[in-house]
Amino acid sequence: MNDASKYASRVAAVLNDLTIELPSWGFADTGTRFGKFGQDSAAIDFTDKLSDASHVNRLTGCCPKLAVHVLWDFSANQQPAEVKSQAEQHGLRIGSINPNLFQDQQYKYGSLCHPDAKIREHAVQHCIDSIKLGQAVDSRVVTLWLADGSNYPGQDNLRARKGRLQECLQTLHGHLSSEQSFLLEYKPFEPAFYHTDLADWGMSLALARAMGPQAKVLVDTGHHYQSQNIEQIVAWLLDEGMLGGFHFNDRRYADDDLTLASIDPYQIFRIFYEILSYAHDTGRTPTIEYMIDQSHNLKPKIEAMIQTVMTAQELVAKAAIVDFDLLADLQARQDIVGCERHLKQAFFTDVSGLVTAWRVEQGISPDPLTAHRESGYLEVIEKERRQRRQELGIVTGGSYA
Ligand code: AFD
Ligand code: MN
Ligand code: MN
């Protein structure tokens, strides 16, 4: 374990550059396909989500944007300008816009890949509306996760689906403003059981390229098979100039949406290492959207969100203390043990003092999680929202001890 103090400026630099977008859906009640377990303190409406996100941003100092889900966060009669100013009143900006092509009954056999042109048109129109919504709330990013797929071999023609999808996506690219980017997210399986139309990074890369210059790939860290080398995918996308951003979470088996690095912190460290190594070697720091995509079924939602943000800050700080020139020299000499040892030394270095010092420097609490627990915010919202749930007749799973 080497003494970390000499890395203070490098750690401060990476922490200054790291802003992490919060997911509106991460504050609301959620569950699994087997059931939903409510929490009295969970957000009930969009105002609650803004309030919780603003609380997390105040405590962590690096979460100024809130990702929104079009069907869940924008009510029909609400003007987008209202949403934008509501966010501003909470010290936030609207972040990525997430269209929803996976709940409407008409999308049972797919949306943008559907054999029926009429249904594809509905899906395209929803995405165009979402793109326009993004323009109305000054959001720069549209992120699309496509649940399309099939459940059995032979159910549909895989190449025909690819062709339909490409055509729809190219139409969407034409509706982007010059400010907007379109991030195409892949996922190997779920909810479809036989094939998913956008199943891996290669498919997203191919279709993002076919879409046009404002489309890139979105890497959700939970969307890979058990043994996949995610940092290698990140290195390739960086080198291709096609890494749009991340949905941060962790997983043990499937797309479990667990808090970041709760299962494998070394993997997230290696992802940050690849990003910083690219910046060191090329002198380029690409615009990367760091976004959280998590559902906290059991953990208290606000605590889990703060935990994820603090963990991301700690791991990027560890990656910042890698000496890339020294590593290049060890690599040139095929000193395999030396290379690995240098990476491990950085990973095992205690950077908590440097991260804490950075927080104090920013005028925020040295320990945002403790600050949250001592703030009394949870007790207030729990009482208020329990009351509202009863009035609204929303079933809840009881509060946290
Ligand atoms: C689910 C999907 C995907 C998507 C997220 C938000 O697996 O990750 O980005 O919901 O819509 O986690
Ligand atoms: Mn995701
Ligand atoms: Mn997911």
Side-chain angles (χ1 to χ4, degrees), residues 21-28 52-53 56 60 63 259 292-296 299-311 369:
E21 185 170 299
L22 300 173
S24 67
W25 56 94
F27 294 105
D52 295 354
V56 171
T60 59
C63 302
T259 33
I292 296 172
D293 174 11
Q294 288 168 7
S295 296
H296 307 295
K299 279 184 177 176
K301 297 171 189 292
I302 293 172
E303 284 199 359
M305 212 64 89
I306 293 171
Q307 196 184 18
T308 275
V309 174
M310 291 175 70
T311 303
L369 190 56

Side-chain angles (χ1 to χ4, degrees), residues 13 45 72 94 101 126 161 176 230 245 255 274 285 290 306 309 315 317 325 330 368 378 382 384 394:
D45 58 25
W72 304 336
I94 299 297
L101 298 176
H126 172 68
R161 291 179 73 91
L176 295 171
I230 305 176
D255 181 30
E274 287 299 339
T285 309
Y290 295 105
I306 293 171
V309 174
L315 291 170
D325 293 328
L330 293 168
L378 181 69
E382 200 164 54
E384 191 272 326
I394 300 174

